Amino acid sequence: MAYTTISGDTWDMIAKKVYGSEYHADILMEANREHIGTFSFNAGVVLNTPALKTVRDGLLPPWKYEAEE
């Protein structure tokens, strides 16, 4: 899957739109390392949006969730 950014998108905003939770921004960043230094995107950047491997409840930040697995 892919997501095409709109001007002003940020990693957490995109994660919320694509996955339903901003806590999945780490998944997007890992899949799009060439844009890792970008804070706010310009319009038209196509990002890879991989499927989630496991379902997270969204109550814990990523570093705490992974510590519990």
Side-chain angles (χ1 to χ4, degrees):
M1 292 176 36
Y3 173 82
T4 303
T5 61
I6 59 172
S7 184
D9 270 347
T10 60
W11 291 109
D12 57 339
M13 289 171 60
I14 298 166
K16 179 78 172 170
K17 290 177 188 177
V18 172
Y19 299 122
S21 172
E22 62 274 8
Y23 289 114
H24 298 297
D26 60 323
I27 304 293
L28 290 173
M29 295 168 104
E30 182 67 31
N32 298 280
R33 290 184 166 267
E34 66 276 16
H35 300 290
I36 201 76
T38 304
F39 176 74
S40 180
F41 286 91
N42 293 323
V45 177
V46 178
L47 299 175
N48 182 23
T49 57
L52 296 177
K53 293 179 183 174
T54 58
V55 177
R56 297 182 185 174
D57 63 13
L59 298 177
L60 296 175
W63 58 89
K64 288 188 176 183
Y65 174 83
E66 291 161 5
E68 290 187 352
E69 286 188 333

